[in-house]
Amino acid sequence: MQIIGQKPEAAAAVPDGLIKDSSERTFVADVVEASRDVPVLVDFWAPWCGPCKQLTPVLEKVVREAKGAVKLVKINIDENKRIAAQMRIQSIPAVYAFKNGQPVDGFMGALKESEVRDFIKRLGGDAGPSPVDELLALAAEAVTANDLATAAQAYAQILQEDPQNPMALGGLAKCYLASGDIERAKQALAMVPPEFANHEAITAVQR
């Protein structure tokens, strides 16, 4: 589906130093001391660990989106066996959360992104809004400013990640209607799954 307008501006830069690899030599500074300022997640992993390859990108994504509310330190257990032994790591991936210089929580296994966000929130950190939430907010502001091109592009970006998102489908259809493009509005509404047919974002367009 062709989208009107230009692509929204890139998100603001993320602070440096939020994600780093550590070792036995720097563990105290990177984790224990750093956790006195903000919570630090310690990701124990190994190159041969399949689930680690699934979890680590999720951790990195959520930490970046938190924009300084939490840090991530990665420990390769093959290269840092002493730390793994001290932390009694028996299986990986294993994640420990440090606050005020002490381990306070943790989990094992590859959690979903939503579960990682919940884990960070329990620590008192802010996992930050998801990219979808940020794009929805951007689109809403653009609609208020009558900038339909930016709003439509934001909704389209959401649909690239979540093709069935009712807020994005309804918003995109509304943009097309406002610009007089009834056919594209119908195309957007035709993509709505049956379970979202009565969603307020969809019914608002059909009134």
Side-chain angles (χ1 to χ4, degrees):
M1 183 184 298
Q2 184 180 354
I3 304 301
I4 57 178
Q6 301 296 319
K7 192 173 183 179
E9 295 180 1
V14 177
D16 293 331
L18 293 181
I19 301 172
K20 64 171 60 178
D21 292 292
S22 188
S23 65
E24 294 171 355
R25 182 175 59 84
T26 59
F27 185 84
V28 172
D30 292 341
V31 177
V32 178
E33 296 300 329
S35 72
R36 301 186 190 282
D37 296 323
V38 296
V40 177
L41 301 184
V42 184
D43 176 22
F44 291 93
W45 69 285
W48 45 264
C49 170
C52 297
K53 296 177 182 178
Q54 299 174 12
L55 177 63
T56 298
V58 173
L59 291 171
E60 292 177 347
K61 180 175 184 287
V62 175
V63 168
R64 286 193 180 97
E65 290 169 3
K67 298 179 181 178
V70 65
K71 293 184 177 181
L72 174 65
V73 171
K74 297 180 286 186
I75 300 289
N76 182 337
I77 64 168
D78 287 349
E79 298 176 353
N80 300 279
K81 295 180 179 179
R82 184 183 304 174
I83 295 177
Q86 290 176 344
M87 297 299 298
R88 299 181 181 178
I89 303 299
Q90 297 180 343
S91 65
I92 54 174
V95 174
Y96 278 81
F98 279 70
K99 285 183 71 175
N100 299 317
Q102 298 291 331
V104 295
D105 202 351
F107 64 84
M108 290 186 294
L111 299 187
K112 298 178 181 178
E113 181 177 329
S114 60
E115 294 172 321
V116 173
R117 290 182 184 278
D118 290 341
F119 179 78
I120 291 176
K121 288 178 181 178
R122 290 201 304 271
L123 294 175
D126 183 1
S130 69
V132 168
D133 290 337
E134 290 182 339
L135 285 168
L136 285 172
L138 171 64
E141 292 177 2
V143 169
T144 300
N146 201 31
D147 185 356
L148 299 180
T150 296
Q153 185 62 45
Y155 289 132
Q157 284 186 257
I158 294 171
L159 293 172
Q160 289 177 3
E161 299 295 328
D162 182 5
Q164 297 184 339
N165 187 294
M167 295 288 289
L169 289 170
L172 188 59
K174 197 170 184 178
C175 286
Y176 285 138
L177 283 177
S179 64
D181 196 335
I182 297 176
E183 286 305 313
R184 286 189 193 170
K186 289 181 178 179
Q187 290 176 19
L189 292 175
M191 296 168 61
V192 177
E195 61 267 29
F196 293 135
N198 294 321
H199 191 283
E200 60 181 358
I202 305 303
T203 57
V205 182
Q206 296 172 333
R207 290 171 188 165

